[in-house]
Amino acid sequence: MSQQGVTPIQVSNRPHCYRHRPELAYQRLADEEAKQERQRKLENLPQSRQRTIDSFWTFFSNAPEEERCLILDGILAQCCFSQLSYVSTAVKALIRIDFFAVLPPEISTRILKYLDATTLTKAAQVSRRWKRLADDNLLWYRMCEQHINKKCSKCGWSLPLLQAPQQWQQPVDLDPNGTCTGDWTPSLGRPIDSRPIDSRPSDLSPGSDDPHSHDSCLGPPAKRQRILHHAIELDTADTRPWKEVYKERLLVGLNWKYGRYKVTVLEGHTDSVMCLKIYSNYLVTGSYDATIRLWNLDSGSLVRTFLGHTAGIRALQFDDSKIISGSLDETIKIWNWQTGQCLLTISNHNDALVGLHLTGKILASSSMDKTIKIWNFEGKEAFTLRGHKDSVNSVHMDTDSRTLISASDDFTLRLWDLDTRQCIRVFEGHCGQVQQASFSPVEPEYSHLLESGPTANHEKNMEVLRPSYGYGFTACPGRSLPPPYVISGSLDNTLRVWDTATGACVRVDFGHTEGVWSFATDSLRVVSGAGDSLVKVWDAITGNCLRTLTGHKGPVTCIGLTDSILATGSDDCRIMVYNFKP
């Protein structure tokens, strides 16, 4: 009947609107289904009615824009509420537009970059076109850059860095006496005389007349770069899609948030575990039993035991080629971790070694003799920092600014300029021995969450803050300033955050019921261990306690932290490893 009495609607030669563009295949299919439905309804009417309605549709289709609107106005004026309700329902479906089908891809991508990750993944489920746009690699790179290793300023969410495993160096050749036969120098420069450095003619004391005595032992300042840019740098070579990178880090971040982890207990030490360090998938621990043990974190097995110290181990440093240990026997030993061979012993402090920090080719050590020593193994220089009135428990260097922060049993922290070898500032406020201090990796843009005042925006006030760090910084305008904040843990049961520019305490974190012995921090969290046998995880920005971990039966004396691994050592002779990987 329709073929005899009804002719198809003829579309005019006017420019096609969005709904009638012939290249939109999916739109044509939708219109075809609606057309067939209308045709079925039309065939149920008398033939005269069919011709009338068909001619009206044809007239409306070929009418100019103004006449179309006039016809619609007249029709709507004659409609009852039931017809108006039908029109309203029908228009809601018809007026929907797939704007990504119309807009250029560049504009579509620009729109999608304002979405959060959840909405972006939902958008990818709409259609193939949307999925292709929503999975754009640049979009997810920006998503990673916005969230990885820092808190997003928009949503407050953050993701771990998850750096790639390091490549281990090949074992070195040793002669029968245990010394290096090649030019290997534990990544610290040329072969080193095993005599105490202070006894050599090249020793430099603070009062030395050597023309280089006040030159930086750390070399020229390096331009400060965000660690994120080293870890997630765009590479056109063999790289994974950034969406997969984001997903991998999201799973680890969610495990941290909801406390999902696997625990491995490492046993083998016969006395208190006092220090530990994590590098790649290895963990090195030091104990009062005078041994150093190397563990494989993947298998939980003991790789090697290092023997040589005659008293307890209080400090460790660990990288791809060496282990450096500090002991109560007043010596520092450098070990080849692959062979267990002691390569060098340094005996220069007058009391027990309790603190070490290695950065590049510079080693800082602290002792119960109240001094700090800086060892430059490349230039074979050394000097001593004096000022603390009691045992110096911890040292931590910042290579960009060439400064050092130290913590002592005299209840204070001190900030040192390694160029001028002078104390810049003393931080006072703890009412117990300060066990550890470290520069905070918190990004300066979050300063407003910690404090308010002239130092709240560290980056924008560099020139204002520079004089507060002393002559060594005013004389070198291009020199990087120290990190804006320092974190400390003390036996007064608190963690404190300090402003390095003013020396003011900007936050105190309460939660432990006994003294804080150790902590570890990254840009997202601070993890502390204390005499109450508890491990607490804190938000690095707000200071809120996020989680409390139990399991140790004695004071928690040392903490190791990576993006997905947390290791704790205790007086109960055990090491607990928390793995947050999915």
Side-chain angles (χ1 to χ4, degrees):
M1 182 181 296
S2 61
Q3 293 179 351
Q4 297 175 357
V6 180
T7 59
I9 297 175
Q10 300 295 323
V11 180
S12 70
N13 294 325
R14 295 188 314 273
H16 294 292
C17 68
Y18 165 76
R19 290 194 65 243
H20 301 102
R21 285 172 56 180
E23 70 273 16
L24 298 180
Y26 67 91
Q27 188 67 59
R28 292 199 307 272
L29 292 174
D31 287 346
E32 190 67 27
E33 293 178 359
K35 184 187 296 185
Q36 292 176 0
E37 179 65 22
R38 288 196 301 269
Q39 194 67 39
R40 284 193 294 269
K41 293 180 179 179
L42 187 63
E43 291 174 354
N44 294 327
L45 299 176
Q47 191 171 7
S48 58
R49 292 278 188 178
Q50 293 182 32
R51 285 195 294 268
T52 302
I53 294 174
D54 182 68
S55 62
F56 178 77
W57 285 346
T58 303
F59 173 77
F60 182 83
S61 176
N62 293 309
E65 181 72 19
E66 292 182 0
E67 292 183 10
R68 280 187 167 202
C69 293
L70 182 61
I71 293 172
L72 290 175
D73 287 341
I75 292 175
L76 291 175
Q78 299 298 321
C79 288
C80 299
F81 280 111
S82 59
Q83 287 92 46
L84 290 175
S85 176
Y86 173 80
V87 170
S88 175
T89 304
V91 167
K92 285 181 181 178
L94 294 174
I95 206 170
R96 294 174 181 170
I97 296 177
D98 183 358
F99 48 88
F100 286 157
V102 183
L103 296 175
E106 295 81 4
I107 297 180
S108 300
T109 303
R110 185 72 177 267
I111 293 172
L112 288 172
K113 80 173 188 177
Y114 291 99
L115 302 181
D116 57 40
T118 302
T119 308
L120 201 56
T121 54
K122 290 180 179 179
Q125 302 174 25
V126 173
S127 66
R128 290 186 178 91
R129 180 190 299 273
W130 282 52
K131 178 175 176 56
R132 185 171 63 253
L133 292 169
D135 287 350
D136 183 81
N137 209 36
L138 182 59
L139 279 176
W140 286 99
Y141 167 75
R142 289 173 175 168
M143 192 70 69
C144 290
E145 189 177 38
Q146 186 176 340
H147 293 88
I148 291 179
N149 204 42
K150 61 180 180 180
K151 280 186 177 292
C152 175
S153 58
K154 297 179 181 179
C155 66
W157 183 240
S158 56
L159 298 176
L161 186 61
L162 295 185
Q163 290 175 303
Q166 302 293 326
Q167 296 296 322
W168 296 92
Q169 296 181 2
Q170 294 297 320
V172 299
D173 296 326
L174 302 174
D175 65 15
N177 295 325
T179 58
C180 300
T181 58
D183 59 356
W184 185 86
T185 58
S187 297
L188 294 173
R190 297 179 296 276
I192 302 171
D193 189 347
S194 59
R195 292 176 296 166
I197 291 185
D198 279 354
S199 66
R200 303 176 201 162
S202 60
D203 172 48
L204 297 177
S205 63
S208 172
D209 294 329
D210 189 285
H212 301 289
S213 61
H214 293 288
D215 291 343
S216 170
C217 69
L218 298 179
K223 184 178 180 180
R224 187 186 299 269
Q225 298 179 346
R226 296 177 188 270
I227 190 172
L228 177 63
H229 292 163
H230 294 288
I232 60 170
E233 185 176 344
L234 279 175
D235 188 357
T236 58
D238 185 17
T239 56
R240 292 185 300 158
W242 283 106
K243 186 175 182 179
E244 290 186 13
V245 175
Y246 186 93
K247 178 181 177 181
E248 176 189 41
R249 286 150 174 77
L250 177 64
L251 293 176
V252 176
L254 290 175
N255 286 345
W256 274 102
K257 181 177 181 180
Y258 296 111
R260 299 191 289 254
Y261 50 80
K262 301 175 184 177
V263 180
T264 302
V265 179
L266 306 179
E267 296 181 308
H269 284 293
T270 58
D271 206 337
S272 301
V273 180
M274 298 306 297
C275 50
L276 58 82
K277 286 291 178 182
I278 302 172
Y279 189 83
S280 186
N281 61 328
Y282 287 88
L283 171 70
V284 63
T285 58
S287 168
Y288 272 154
D289 63 12
T291 67
I292 302 166
R293 292 176 183 261
L294 181 66
W295 311 82
N296 187 310
L297 292 176
D298 292 337
S299 63
S301 60
L302 177 66
V303 176
R304 180 170 289 110
T305 300
F306 300 81
L307 302 175
H309 282 293
T310 59
I313 315 298
R314 282 295 306 270
L316 287 170
Q317 293 291 285
F318 184 28
D319 66 15
D320 60 345
S321 60
K322 59 192 172 295
I323 293 172
I324 303 179
S325 58
S327 169
L328 299 180
D329 63 11
E330 305 179 13
T331 66
I332 298 172
K333 289 183 181 289
I334 300 177
W335 311 78
N336 183 329
W337 72 269
Q338 295 161 318
T339 65
Q341 180 69 47
C342 179
L343 302 172
L344 179 66
T345 298
I346 301 174
S347 178
N348 192 245
H349 281 284
N350 298 321
D351 208 333
L353 263 294
V354 290
L356 289 174
H357 186 228
L358 175 71
T359 175
K361 300 177 181 179
I362 308 298
L363 176 68
S365 62
S366 63
S367 169
M368 290 183 180
D369 63 9
K370 309 176 188 179
T371 68
I372 302 163
K373 292 187 182 292
I374 308 298
W375 317 81
N376 183 343
F377 290 99
E378 184 176 42
K380 295 201 290 187
E381 296 177 324
F383 59 87
T384 303
L385 302 175
R386 294 182 174 87
H388 281 293
K389 300 176 183 178
D390 208 333
S391 173
V392 184
N393 297 317
S394 166
V395 284
H396 187 256
M397 290 183 287
D398 177 65
T399 53
D400 289 339
S401 61
R402 305 190 294 283
T403 54
L404 177 145
I405 190 72
S406 59
S408 171
D409 277 351
D410 63 10
F411 298 9
T412 68
L413 292 76
R414 286 178 180 260
L415 180 65
W416 305 84
D417 186 331
L418 297 182
D419 283 4
T420 63
R421 303 174 187 178
Q422 300 297 319
C423 178
I424 298 174
R425 182 162 291 108
V426 179
F427 301 83
E428 297 179 313
H430 278 296
C431 53
Q433 293 92 335
V434 186
Q435 296 301 304
Q436 187 177 345
S438 176
F439 290 110
S440 172
V442 170
E443 296 287 348
E445 55 260 39
Y446 303 112
S447 298
H448 65 284
L449 298 177
L450 289 169
E451 59 171 321
S452 59
T455 63
N457 194 326
H458 192 264
E459 292 292 328
K460 293 183 180 179
N461 293 288
M462 288 185 65
E463 295 309 314
V464 176
L465 298 177
R466 187 169 295 278
S468 66
Y469 292 106
Y471 173 78
F473 289 88
T474 56
C476 301
R479 183 178 176 186
S480 297
L481 294 181
Y485 300 105
V486 166
I487 304 176
S488 62
S490 167
L491 297 186
D492 62 8
N493 307 351
T494 67
L495 291 164
R496 293 176 184 258
V497 180
W498 309 81
D499 186 331
T500 59
T502 64
C505 178
V506 299
R507 194 180 74 211
V508 181
D509 296 335
F510 295 96
H512 286 291
T513 57
E514 293 188 34
V516 177
W517 284 98
S518 179
F519 68 85
T521 182
D522 58 24
S523 59
L524 305 180
R525 60 187 62 85
V526 179
V527 183
S528 60
D532 54 13
S533 306
L534 300 178
V535 176
K536 289 185 177 289
V537 182
W538 313 77
D539 187 297
I541 305 300
T542 64
N544 295 331
C545 182
L546 305 176
R547 192 164 303 280
T548 299
L549 306 176
T550 61
H552 282 295
K553 300 177 181 179
V556 181
T557 53
C558 49
I559 301 282
L561 176 66
T562 69
D563 295 300
S564 57
I565 298 291
L566 169 63
T568 61
S570 169
D571 272 354
D572 61 12
C573 310
R574 301 186 305 159
I575 303 103
M576 298 187 69
V577 180
Y578 302 81
N579 190 335
F580 290 85
K581 293 180 181 179

